[in-house]
Short mmCIF file of all heavy atoms in Angstrom, two decimals:
data_model
loop_
_atom_site.label_atom_id
_atom_site.label_comp_id
_atom_site.label_asym_id
_atom_site.label_seq_id
_atom_site.Cartn_x
_atom_site.Cartn_y
_atom_site.Cartn_z
N ALA A 192 -147.06 -189.82 91.87
CA ALA A 192 -145.93 -190.46 91.37
C ALA A 192 -144.80 -190.59 92.50
O ALA A 192 -144.87 -190.01 93.62
CB ALA A 192 -145.31 -189.65 90.30
N GLU A 193 -143.90 -191.53 92.21
CA GLU A 193 -142.87 -191.87 93.25
C GLU A 193 -141.73 -190.81 93.27
O GLU A 193 -141.06 -190.77 94.29
CB GLU A 193 -142.32 -193.25 92.97
CG GLU A 193 -143.16 -194.41 93.39
CD GLU A 193 -144.59 -194.46 92.85
OE1 GLU A 193 -144.73 -194.13 91.65
OE2 GLU A 193 -145.54 -194.86 93.53
N ALA A 194 -141.44 -190.20 92.11
CA ALA A 194 -140.37 -189.15 92.13
C ALA A 194 -140.52 -188.24 90.97
O ALA A 194 -141.22 -188.50 89.97
CB ALA A 194 -139.11 -189.88 92.03
N ALA A 195 -139.88 -187.13 91.04
CA ALA A 195 -139.67 -186.12 89.93
C ALA A 195 -138.36 -185.80 89.83
O ALA A 195 -137.57 -185.58 90.81
CB ALA A 195 -140.57 -184.92 90.28
N ILE A 196 -137.82 -185.79 88.60
CA ILE A 196 -136.45 -185.31 88.33
C ILE A 196 -136.58 -184.03 87.64
O ILE A 196 -137.06 -183.87 86.44
CB ILE A 196 -135.71 -186.40 87.48
CG1 ILE A 196 -135.62 -187.71 88.32
CG2 ILE A 196 -134.37 -185.88 87.05
CD1 ILE A 196 -134.89 -188.86 87.57
N ILE A 197 -136.05 -182.98 88.32
CA ILE A 197 -136.26 -181.63 87.80
C ILE A 197 -134.98 -180.81 87.75
O ILE A 197 -134.05 -181.04 88.50
CB ILE A 197 -137.25 -180.79 88.82
CG1 ILE A 197 -136.76 -180.89 90.26
CG2 ILE A 197 -138.64 -181.41 88.72
CD1 ILE A 197 -137.51 -179.98 91.15
N PRO A 198 -134.92 -179.84 86.98
CA PRO A 198 -133.74 -179.07 86.71
C PRO A 198 -133.26 -178.33 87.97
O PRO A 198 -132.09 -178.05 88.26
CB PRO A 198 -133.96 -178.10 85.60
CG PRO A 198 -135.42 -178.17 85.24
CD PRO A 198 -135.97 -179.42 85.86
N GLU A 199 -134.25 -177.91 88.81
CA GLU A 199 -134.04 -177.13 89.96
C GLU A 199 -133.34 -177.94 91.12
O GLU A 199 -132.72 -177.36 92.03
CB GLU A 199 -135.25 -176.54 90.62
CG GLU A 199 -135.87 -175.35 89.75
CD GLU A 199 -136.80 -175.97 88.72
OE1 GLU A 199 -136.75 -177.24 88.42
OE2 GLU A 199 -137.62 -175.17 88.22
N ASP A 200 -133.26 -179.24 91.00
CA ASP A 200 -132.74 -180.07 92.01
C ASP A 200 -131.41 -180.70 91.67
O ASP A 200 -131.16 -181.84 92.00
CB ASP A 200 -133.77 -181.10 92.46
CG ASP A 200 -133.49 -181.77 93.79
OD1 ASP A 200 -132.67 -181.08 94.61
OD2 ASP A 200 -133.91 -182.86 94.09
N ARG A 201 -130.55 -180.04 90.90
CA ARG A 201 -129.35 -180.59 90.35
C ARG A 201 -128.23 -180.50 91.23
O ARG A 201 -127.10 -180.79 90.98
CB ARG A 201 -128.99 -180.06 89.04
CG ARG A 201 -130.03 -180.22 87.90
CD ARG A 201 -129.61 -181.43 87.05
NE ARG A 201 -130.79 -182.08 86.50
CZ ARG A 201 -131.40 -181.63 85.40
NH1 ARG A 201 -130.99 -180.65 84.77
NH2 ARG A 201 -132.46 -182.23 84.87
N THR A 202 -128.46 -180.04 92.50
CA THR A 202 -127.37 -179.77 93.47
C THR A 202 -126.85 -181.16 93.87
O THR A 202 -125.67 -181.42 94.05
CB THR A 202 -127.79 -179.02 94.62
OG1 THR A 202 -129.11 -179.49 95.01
CG2 THR A 202 -127.94 -177.54 94.26
N ASP A 203 -127.78 -182.02 94.28
CA ASP A 203 -127.38 -183.28 94.82
C ASP A 203 -126.86 -184.21 93.61
O ASP A 203 -127.26 -184.07 92.49
CB ASP A 203 -128.55 -183.99 95.48
CG ASP A 203 -129.08 -183.18 96.57
OD1 ASP A 203 -128.31 -182.70 97.44
OD2 ASP A 203 -130.29 -182.94 96.55
N ALA A 204 -126.02 -185.22 94.03
CA ALA A 204 -125.26 -185.94 93.06
C ALA A 204 -126.26 -186.59 92.00
O ALA A 204 -126.25 -186.40 90.80
CB ALA A 204 -124.32 -186.90 93.73
N ASP A 205 -127.15 -187.44 92.52
CA ASP A 205 -127.80 -188.36 91.56
C ASP A 205 -129.26 -188.61 92.02
O ASP A 205 -129.62 -189.36 92.89
CB ASP A 205 -127.07 -189.69 91.56
CG ASP A 205 -127.51 -190.49 90.36
OD1 ASP A 205 -128.63 -190.29 89.91
OD2 ASP A 205 -126.76 -191.46 90.04
N GLN A 206 -130.21 -187.94 91.26
CA GLN A 206 -131.54 -188.03 91.62
C GLN A 206 -132.15 -189.44 91.37
O GLN A 206 -132.99 -189.98 92.08
CB GLN A 206 -132.51 -187.08 90.94
CG GLN A 206 -132.14 -185.51 91.35
CD GLN A 206 -132.98 -184.59 90.64
OE1 GLN A 206 -134.18 -184.55 90.73
NE2 GLN A 206 -132.43 -183.80 89.72
#
Side-chain angles (χ1 to χ4, degrees):
E193 278 63 32
I196 295 180
I197 55 169
E199 289 87 344
D200 197 21
R201 294 266 155 77
T202 44
D203 304 311
D205 193 340
Q206 293 182 67

